[in-house]
Amino acid sequence: MLMWGLAIELAYRLEGDYDGVQIQLRGGAASGDSAPGFGTNGQNDPQRGFFRGDAEDDRTLGNFQFSPNYHIDLLMYRQILGTITESWYLSPGVAYDFDDNINLNAHVTYSQAMFKRSTPSCSDETQVNCRTEAGQTGFGKTEMGLEIDAEASYGLTHDLDGNAFRAAIQGGIVFPFGAFANPNRPEDSQGPNFAWTIQARMYVTF
Ligand SMILES: [Ca+2]
Ligand SMILES: [Ca+2]
């Protein structure tokens, strides 16, 4: 069974009047496995069909998992899925160096699953709506969500030897799309809610 993953990071530093501005683009994809669930955090067995209790013969493991140490966001992949798998993402961003110490950066990340059937939007009790392998029509969505992350940092982007004090504060908000709708709830309350986080970190070296 072929598994594959791809990640690209591009950065372009402007000059002249816009000195200090960097345009960034990150994108990537990881192959999926059409068995229900994303199969992350070591929960691969259901992707092979173990414990499914049905007659379907599934002995394949198709979802490629990125190293969980590769971070492109704060919430969707880092916390909700656990790592990048079974999906593709595109994440444009911009960074600005006020001076050698103070940096601001922000990214907007769109993510989409490879298979409807891997998403919570197909977790109805029978899965009959997302079951057909050919075409996977019916209910269920692949659009996972849009996440906005921003960070302000001091002393972290340049010359790591130079500063005794370094700090950063970062925040993220994710707007989940149809892939996270819950089909087991009443029809008017199936939509997912947004999630957010604010995190701070400080370093003192001596
Ligand atoms: Ca499988
Ligand atoms: Ca899956």
Side-chain angles (χ1 to χ4, degrees):
M1 186 75 192
L2 175 70
M3 291 183 196
W4 55 269
L6 171 75
I8 295 174
E9 296 193 12
L10 301 172
Y12 182 73
R13 188 173 287 278
L14 302 183
E15 293 174 354
D17 288 347
Y18 299 99
D19 191 34
V21 176
Q22 194 181 58
I23 310 287
Q24 301 168 337
L25 179 65
R26 297 176 299 181
S31 61
D33 187 304
S34 64
F38 281 105
T40 55
N41 296 326
Q43 302 295 309
N44 262 334
D45 283 351
Q47 307 302 306
R48 294 190 187 91
F50 295 167
F51 315 129
R52 291 256 294 283
D54 61 23
E56 190 170 336
D57 186 17
D58 178 359
R59 293 161 189 266
T60 64
L61 180 62
N63 67 306
F64 181 86
Q65 295 189 50
F66 278 45
S67 163
N69 275 331
Y70 182 67
H71 299 304
I72 61 136
D73 61 12
L74 293 174
L75 289 166
M76 179 63 81
Y77 286 115
R78 193 162 179 172
Q79 298 290 343
I80 297 172
L81 263 65
T83 189
I84 297 165
T85 189
E86 298 225 19
S87 58
W88 62 266
Y89 63 89
L90 205 58
S91 181
V94 61
Y96 179 62
D97 287 324
F98 274 100
D99 55 29
D100 281 350
N101 283 318
I102 299 173
N103 175 273
L104 293 180
N105 68 75
H107 295 91
V108 178
T109 308
Y110 174 79
S111 52
Q112 184 163 327
M114 294 294 184
F115 296 104
K116 287 179 183 177
R117 203 174 156 189
S118 295
T119 72
S121 67
C122 282
S123 63
D124 62 299
E125 280 160 15
T126 60
Q127 291 201 335
V128 67
N129 293 320
C130 298
R131 185 158 207 113
T132 50
E133 297 287 349
Q136 299 198 338
T137 53
F139 298 103
K141 293 269 191 292
T142 54
E143 296 85 357
M144 288 161 56
L146 195 70
E147 175 166 346
I148 302 168
D149 296 311
E151 180 185 66
S153 66
Y154 178 84
L156 283 170
T157 49
H158 293 286
D159 189 14
L160 286 174
D161 298 327
N163 281 307
F165 175 77
R166 295 171 209 144
I169 183 164
Q170 53 190 177
I173 185 166
V174 57
F175 301 94
F177 293 161
F180 289 94
N182 185 342
N184 299 309
R185 290 179 60 86
E187 201 152 304
D188 58 353
S189 63
Q190 292 183 351
N193 289 324
F194 67 86
W196 59 273
T197 182
I198 294 175
Q199 302 173 15
R201 56 194 208 275
M202 290 170 62
Y203 309 85
V204 178
T205 53
F206 50 87

